[in-house]
Amino acid sequence: MTLFAALKAKTSKLRFAIWNSNKLGYRILRPIYASFHFCRMFFFSAEYRHQTWAHLRYGKHFHQPPNFTMPNRYPALFKIAQDYFAGRSEVKLLSFGCSTGEEAYSLREYLPQALIVGTDISPYNLKRCLQKPNSPKISFVHSLSEEFTNSGDFDAIFCLAVLQHTHNRSGVVKAVKYTFAQFEAQCLLLDGKLKSGGLMFIDHSDFKFLDTSIRAKYFPLQVPNNKLLHNRPLFNTQNEILSESHESYRVFLKK
Ligand SMILES: C[S@@+](CC[C@H](N)C(=O)[O-])C[C@H]1O[C@@H](n2cnc3c(N)ncnc32)[C@H](O)[C@@H]1O
């Protein structure tokens, strides 16, 4: 390991401890480091400024604020959609929490015939989506806009790494910052936009889709690769932790 790599690993370990450790020393350092971090990011990162503003403006509507994404992030899920809709000339897909648009563009590779709507709560992310090469079959809208509210009749909805929160990690026993009620309300809203016979893709969430009140309308799609082991906490309807890792279904067929 080079000196630089060793130093980087040490500082990242220290940062993690300052944010997460319950030891008194770290707890004292936390507000000092948080102020320093805020000022540094606010002055030097346009993305941080825009995301902070979005958070202040839409705070209570946010699920997962971080916008990490990448092209073809879920090949197994995208292949399931490709096989399910093979031979269909008209397919309408929703990428909910599309971040900077990579998910929508990846879906186009698997289903070139599809009309794809990407939506996100962050105006900064949507601006980045719109900077990508224009495609007549892909559009992006804000998730709290009238246009999105009035949209519907989707054949498949992809809600991947959205219905979760970073505060529901690292040793918490109760989901407080992001709760089952918020998760369920969003699932109900998405359910209203999905056609019967359509597919709901929900992965990397803090709660189980089949715990929601709409579970009777759905069953797990019987395909290989639907169930996956997740090394992350899972919470029940009372927001209590169920396990630190679990196997869960990711694709649900609406009856
Ligand atoms: C980790 S990214 C996931 C991106 C992409 N789905 C993926 O898995 O690669 C989570 C995204 O959800 C968005 N998000 C959070 N709350 C939302 C809401 N209420 N409506 C729409 N998008 C939301 C965030 O802005 C962020 O871009």
Side-chain angles (χ1 to χ4, degrees):
M1 196 189 265
T2 64
L3 184 66
F4 178 71
L7 210 65
K8 208 170 152 199
K10 261 231 156 353
T11 50
S12 117
K13 216 171 145 191
L14 180 67
R15 264 202 311 271
F16 185 85
I18 292 175
W19 286 127
N20 300 294
S21 171
N22 273 332
K23 285 192 182 155
L24 184 65
Y26 291 123
R27 280 184 14 226
I28 293 170
L29 275 178
R30 195 167 300 150
I32 302 165
Y33 181 72
S35 319
F36 166 74
H37 175 75
F38 176 79
C39 294
R40 183 171 61 99
M41 295 302 286
F42 198 84
F43 286 110
F44 294 110
S45 162
E47 173 170 353
Y48 189 82
R49 279 196 297 279
H50 283 103
Q51 298 289 49
T52 305
W53 169 238
H55 212 249
L56 287 173
R57 189 164 174 201
Y58 305 115
K60 72 178 164 70
H61 298 285
F62 259 93
H63 305 290
Q64 154 103 335
N67 63 353
F68 176 80
T69 189
M70 56 194 251
N72 202 19
R73 189 173 178 191
Y74 309 97
L77 296 181
F78 298 158
K79 179 78 173 63
I80 288 173
Q82 184 182 49
D83 292 346
Y84 187 80
F85 294 113
R88 286 261 306 265
S89 58
E90 284 183 15
V91 186
K92 199 172 152 195
L93 310 178
L94 173 64
S95 166
F96 183 85
C98 63
S99 184
T100 46
E102 283 74 0
E103 191 170 283
Y105 281 87
S106 303
L107 282 166
R108 186 184 62 172
E109 300 295 313
Y110 286 80
L111 291 152
Q113 78 275 33
L115 277 178
I116 304 169
V117 177
T119 187
D120 202 279
I121 196 167
S122 152
Y124 172 84
N125 291 341
L126 290 172
K127 197 170 153 201
R128 296 264 311 269
C129 291
L130 296 171
Q131 283 165 352
K132 292 196 160 42
N134 194 18
S135 165
K137 289 190 167 171
I138 304 182
S139 58
F140 294 100
V141 290
H142 193 269
S143 62
L144 300 175
S145 65
E146 208 179 317
E147 197 180 344
F148 181 63
T149 305
N150 295 333
S151 69
D153 279 339
F154 289 101
D155 295 291
I157 295 180
F158 295 81
C159 187
L160 308 173
V162 179
L163 304 179
Q164 57 173 343
H165 202 286
T166 33
H167 284 106
N168 291 350
R169 303 282 185 289
S170 51
V172 296
V173 289
K174 193 136 186 169
V176 177
K177 280 258 177 167
Y178 182 64
T179 63
F180 181 77
Q182 289 165 282
F183 168 78
E184 184 174 51
Q186 189 64 69
C187 291
L188 263 63
L189 194 145
L190 294 178
D191 171 57
K193 294 185 178 296
L194 184 64
K195 280 183 187 165
S196 116
L199 298 181
M200 183 76 85
F201 291 77
I202 297 203
D203 198 12
H204 300 291
S205 64
D206 289 339
F207 304 93
K208 278 197 271 184
F209 180 62
L210 292 180
D211 275 350
T212 63
S213 56
I214 47 169
R215 62 182 168 274
K217 293 191 197 176
Y218 290 85
F219 51 84
L221 187 70
Q222 295 306 312
V223 284
N225 295 323
N226 191 347
K227 214 171 196 185
L228 190 73
L229 176 69
H230 295 82
N231 286 315
R232 48 170 299 140
L234 180 73
F235 300 86
N236 65 16
T237 58
Q238 303 305 307
N239 302 308
E240 296 149 350
I241 194 157
L242 282 173
S243 61
E244 286 291 348
S245 76
H246 61 280
E247 273 201 333
S248 59
Y249 289 109
R250 306 180 288 166
V251 194
F252 305 89
L253 175 60
K254 186 171 179 180
K255 292 176 194 166

